[in-house]
Amino acid sequence: MSDSDTLQVSINGEDVEAPHGRFVDLRMNKEAAAVAAESQAKERLSSTQNELSADLRINLLDTVRNLKIGRAGKIAVPLPKKSDGGKQWKLIAETTIENGRRLITFTSHVSVTNHLDVPMELYSKNNTNLDLFGTVSPGETLNLVVPLLFSATGEIFFRPANDKCEVSFESLTWHQFTHQMRQVIRCDLSEDTTQGYFFEAVVLEEKVREGMPSLSNRKHR
């Protein structure tokens, strides 16, 4: 992330990396802080919220996206890359407000919630290989990482996190997701492939505003 006209990410003006799973403190510069203080003195923040602009650099793609940070909500941010299946890479930027602070979280556009009674492993198919997204415990949600999610086919495979079952023969393909779509998934038992562990996957769609923030490329030596 980089300094913008309103936000300061570091004292010395250098870019700051946002590690996975951790928050990075952003501070308004003096001019923006003065404007915000004057606005809050006139009206309550709940009825009037100043939007703050921040430059966010995606290190992997060496790209800068400009996002408006203000009201709580989600926006889909396109990235300058396409999968082998022709799908435009993107991520979701979600702004929440807690105790007067704005929290910005970046995730992929597909997450999986486990309503079963066993932990589940999720896999992405890369040619003939299966790459592990991660393991999601009962009652928890796993955001699927962007590089694995944007495989050529967008397939997601499942396996109970034990030694009793194989990876599912069927897969879910997020390219074909529709709201409330249902699909039965079977994982064969390792000791007897004539039997299996069955469960139903249900797709729930959430409408998210598409964003087209400004783009610039940076090259570093």
Side-chain angles (χ1 to χ4, degrees), residues 82-179:
K82 288 188 177 182
S83 70
D84 291 340
K87 294 293 184 179
Q88 185 82 41
W89 281 35
K90 62 182 175 181
L91 55 80
I92 302 298
E94 179 180 9
T95 301
T96 57
I97 301 177
E98 297 182 8
N99 299 322
R101 299 185 65 186
R102 289 171 174 81
L103 303 180
I104 305 144
T105 306
F106 298 98
T107 63
S108 69
H109 70 292
V110 177
S111 62
V112 175
T113 300
N114 185 359
H115 295 288
L116 303 173
D117 57 359
V118 297
M120 295 295 294
E121 296 173 352
L122 279 70
Y123 294 87
S124 169
K125 188 173 184 180
N126 180 14
N127 294 323
T128 58
N129 298 322
L130 291 176
D131 296 324
L132 181 66
F133 279 115
T135 302
V136 55
S137 300
E140 295 187 356
T141 298
L142 177 68
N143 290 299
L144 305 187
V145 295
V146 170
L148 295 184
L149 188 61
F150 283 89
S151 63
T153 59
E155 290 180 280
I156 304 168
F157 291 84
F158 303 84
R159 177 180 178 271
N162 54 43
D163 297 328
K164 299 179 181 179
C165 295
E166 300 298 317
V167 175
S168 62
F169 177 78
E170 302 90 356
S171 66
L172 284 179
T173 301
W174 67 262
H175 295 178
Q176 301 172 357
F177 278 0
T178 57
H179 184 52

Side-chain angles (χ1 to χ4, degrees), residues 1-4 7 9 14-16 54-57 64 218:
M1 293 185 292
S2 308
D3 285 352
S4 69
L7 292 182
V9 301
E14 294 183 356
D15 292 347
V16 172
D55 291 331
L56 303 170
R57 179 159 63 88
V64 173
R218 293 184 178 180

Side-chain angles (χ1 to χ4, degrees), residues 28 31-52 71 102:
M28 288 188 293
E31 293 79 6
V35 172
E38 181 180 358
S39 175
Q40 290 183 29
K42 295 179 179 179
E43 297 186 65
R44 294 176 59 86
L45 181 61
S46 59
S47 61
T48 300
Q49 296 179 347
N50 289 325
E51 287 196 344
L52 307 178
R71 299 183 184 278
R102 289 171 174 81

